[in-house]
Amino acid sequence: GGEVDVRGVYCVLVVASLLNIMTAELVSGVAEFVARCQTCEGGLGPYPGVEAHGGYTLCALAALEIIGSTHVLDLKRLARWMSARQMAFEGGFSGRTNKLVDGCYSYWVGGAFSILQRALSRTPQDDLLYERRALQRYVLACCQDTRIGGLRDKPGKSADLYHTMYGLLGLSLAQHYVGVDPQTRISDTTSVYSVPARMMQWDVVSSAADVVGVSSNVVKPVHPVYGVSLVPLAKCIKYFYALPPLAPSL
């Protein structure tokens, strides 16, 4: 009676990849299922046949990045759908076609752009496929609740922890270019799907930073797949991958 969609896929692969418990059985059929979730618009829904949505798109794309299978998607169609989510006037993202802007999609869509950048083998010189400064202006000028603090969906709404978290994640990824050199080769074959090598290749390209406003606006860089700071993530991966693996490598 539980839900069966790409959110569950993403959560399972995040936990398994961090704790060094990835197995071939666990990921069997994952790429094929996620590919069927891509809609005629180009984005991804929770399961096959359902409308594309920004949150499910991030979960789906991040899950495929963990197992190195983003190639199963029509990436150009996905890029077109994602680019249409940024509102020309507000600068923030909507989560679905014909919907209003919402601060939480600063991460759900903005973070997906960082993963798409790698999937398309784009470089920092190409920059991300959205207007980073426009998104920062929306988060900083429209999402901050000056009355109680925190971040909100949009002006007129109250701040809450959910929108604060995802607003800050989106702000971070708009300020910092966090990516992977397309020329970098995966060399770690000691674990299933080379997870530690794949995830720890992500790094900040300081020359590609683009911060709106004063220096106090800057937040720490985060990993777009996991939504956490890079240093604690690296420590977690190094700790668990130093332990005996649950299963032999593929």
Side-chain angles (χ1 to χ4, degrees):
E3 295 175 326
V4 180
D5 61 50
V6 294
R7 292 174 301 179
V9 173
Y10 170 66
C11 289
V12 167
L13 292 182
V14 163
V15 172
S17 62
L18 290 178
L19 302 187
N20 192 15
I21 55 174
M22 294 278 281
T23 66
E25 181 182 12
L26 184 67
V27 300
S28 176
V30 164
E32 293 77 9
F33 170 75
V34 174
R36 294 200 304 273
C37 295
Q38 188 168 25
T39 73
C40 59
E41 291 184 281
L44 290 102
Y47 46 85
V50 181
E51 180 186 15
H53 182 284
Y56 296 116
T57 294
L58 181 284
C59 291
L61 197 53
L64 291 176
E65 168 60 21
I66 289 172
I67 61 174
S69 298
T70 54
H71 62 275
V72 302
L73 299 177
D74 184 333
L75 296 172
K76 290 185 177 180
R77 193 150 51 96
L78 174 59
R80 184 167 57 248
W81 179 84
M82 287 171 53
S83 296
R85 302 280 63 76
Q86 188 166 32
M87 302 291 99
F89 177 74
E90 299 94 332
F93 293 114
S94 68
R96 290 180 285 165
T97 302
N98 295 324
K99 292 293 184 178
L100 299 175
V101 66
D102 184 330
C104 70
Y105 295 111
S106 301
Y107 173 66
W108 293 125
V109 179
F113 270 110
S114 296
I115 304 171
L116 180 65
Q117 187 83 350
R118 177 179 188 178
L120 292 173
S121 298
R122 291 171 59 84
T123 68
Q125 288 70 39
D126 299 320
D127 207 354
L128 298 170
L129 290 169
Y130 72 95
E131 223 304 310
R132 295 163 62 188
R133 296 182 68 83
L135 177 62
Q136 291 180 61
R137 285 193 291 269
Y138 178 72
V139 173
L140 293 169
C142 299
C143 293
Q144 291 194 82
D145 189 329
T146 56
R147 181 175 58 88
I148 63 172
L151 300 177
R152 58 194 174 189
D153 167 350
K154 59 178 65 69
K157 299 293 185 70
S158 296
D160 57 63
L161 293 175
Y162 175 89
H163 286 90
T164 297
M165 174 179 175
Y166 292 115
L168 288 174
L169 288 175
L171 178 64
S172 172
L173 289 167
Q175 292 176 340
H176 307 284
Y177 184 100
V178 181
V180 178
D181 183 345
Q183 302 304 315
T184 302
R185 300 176 63 88
I186 301 294
S187 58
D188 183 356
T189 59
T190 62
S191 62
V192 176
Y193 285 102
S194 296
V195 169
R198 291 188 58 76
M199 294 302 103
M200 292 177 68
Q201 282 180 321
W202 291 81
D203 202 1
V204 181
V205 180
S206 57
S207 61
D210 190 0
V211 177
V212 169
V214 297
S215 60
S216 59
N217 288 342
V218 179
V219 294
K220 289 183 178 181
V222 297
H223 197 295
V225 172
Y226 295 100
V228 296
S229 297
L230 298 174
V231 173
L233 176 67
K235 290 180 178 179
C236 175
I237 290 175
K238 288 178 180 179
Y239 175 81
F240 283 104
Y241 281 85
L243 302 177
L246 182 68
S249 300
L250 293 180

